[in-house]
């Protein structure tokens, strides 16, 4: 089975590819309604790199291991090594448009549901519906983020420190400090 969606992006193909290669780009593209966790530290794109996803489907927890099978300046492919599908291949293409100052992101997926003909018969429409919703979200996020970067080309990444009256937010407290707070 095949699924393909595309969207215009306000940046050249090389910039769109570079955004996707950022360490947290994949996390950014995960829809908030999907119960998916990325196992391991954030990384960019590297040929042969593997990523393990933990997916919660109702009471069932699934593992999905994908590998970057191809990596080119304006294209990369990830393939399922093991996971919920009988087969999964996702090609991400960044096609220059017009004078090359913009591009089109094309997501082309070839997949085979589990359970052979039964999976295609009963799961195909559900899978396509989920993919449609997911890629509508992913393309909106990608366009939004790249639009902001295009509008502010000289902006560099910042480090932001958030602190509270007793130290850094999220900083573990000492036992002495915790008992002092409890006594007040």
């Amino acid at each position: 089975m095949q699924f393909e969606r595309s969207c215009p992006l306000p940046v050249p193909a090389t910039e769109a590819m570079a955004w996707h290669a950022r360490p947290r780009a994949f996390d950014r593209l995960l829809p908030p309604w999907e119960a998916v966790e990325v196992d391991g530290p954030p990384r960019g794109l590297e040929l042969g790199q593997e990523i393990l996803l933990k997916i919660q489907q109702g009471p069932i927890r699934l593992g999905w291991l994908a590998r970057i099978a191809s990596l080119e300046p304006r294209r990369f492919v990830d393939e399922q090594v093991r996971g919920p599908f009988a087969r999964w291949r996702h090609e991400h293409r960044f096609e220059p448009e017009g004078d090359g100052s913009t591009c089109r992101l094309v997501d082309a997926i070839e997949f085979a549901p589990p359970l052979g003909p039964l999976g295609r018969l009963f799961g195909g429409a559900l899978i396509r519906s989920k993919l449609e919703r997911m890629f509508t979200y992913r393309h909106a996020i990608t366009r939004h983020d790249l639009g902001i970067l295009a509008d502010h080309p000289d902006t560099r990444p910042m480090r932001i420190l958030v602190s509270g009256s007793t130290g850094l937010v999220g900083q573990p407290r000492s036992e002495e400090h915790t008992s002092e707070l409890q006594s007040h």
Side-chain angles (χ1 to χ4, degrees):
M1 301 181 88
Q2 296 184 344
F3 175 88
E4 184 171 303
R5 289 297 174 269
S6 69
C7 73
L9 297 176
V11 297
T14 53
E15 287 183 38
M17 177 69 176
W19 184 88
H20 278 78
R22 289 179 174 202
R24 291 240 180 240
F26 183 75
D27 296 344
R28 177 88 173 113
L29 294 174
L30 291 173
W33 63 84
E34 293 289 342
V36 177
E37 286 179 36
V38 178
D39 189 35
R43 295 183 282 179
L45 293 175
E46 297 172 19
L47 186 61
Q49 171 187 332
E50 293 184 343
I51 184 168
L52 178 61
L53 304 176
K54 294 178 181 175
I55 304 165
Q56 191 74 40
Q57 290 289 315
I60 301 170
R61 189 170 177 99
L62 304 169
W64 184 342
L65 182 63
R67 176 180 299 132
I68 302 298
S70 176
L71 182 60
E72 299 170 16
R74 295 192 314 241
R75 175 184 167 275
F76 68 98
V77 175
D78 59 83
E79 295 178 344
Q80 175 185 287
V81 175
R82 70 174 180 275
F85 289 88
R87 186 170 58 82
W88 176 276
R89 180 182 185 277
H90 180 180
E91 179 182 28
H92 313 251
R93 290 191 315 265
F94 306 92
E95 300 174 347
E97 291 192 320
D99 63 1
S101 64
T102 63
C103 70
R104 176 162 293 278
L105 166 58
V106 179
D107 285 293
I109 299 171
E110 296 175 24
F111 66 95
L115 307 175
L118 282 176
R120 283 191 300 278
L121 180 64
F122 295 110
L126 175 64
I127 293 168
R128 285 184 187 284
S129 174
K130 286 186 84 159
L131 289 173
E132 187 70 48
R133 186 173 181 214
M134 179 184 302
F135 281 93
T136 297
Y137 174 82
R138 289 177 68 143
H139 288 175
I141 292 295
T142 304
R143 273 193 313 271
H144 173 265
D145 287 7
L146 288 173
I148 289 173
L149 291 173
D151 290 344
H152 306 283
D154 297 326
T155 304
R156 296 194 316 209
M158 296 185 289
R159 291 182 188 254
I160 299 172
L161 175 69
V162 179
S163 67
S165 63
T166 59
L168 297 176
V169 172
Q171 180 180 11
R173 297 175 184 231
S174 68
E175 286 183 34
E176 178 182 308
H177 184 74
T178 303
S179 36
E180 179 184 312
L181 288 174
Q182 290 172 346
S183 66
H184 291 287

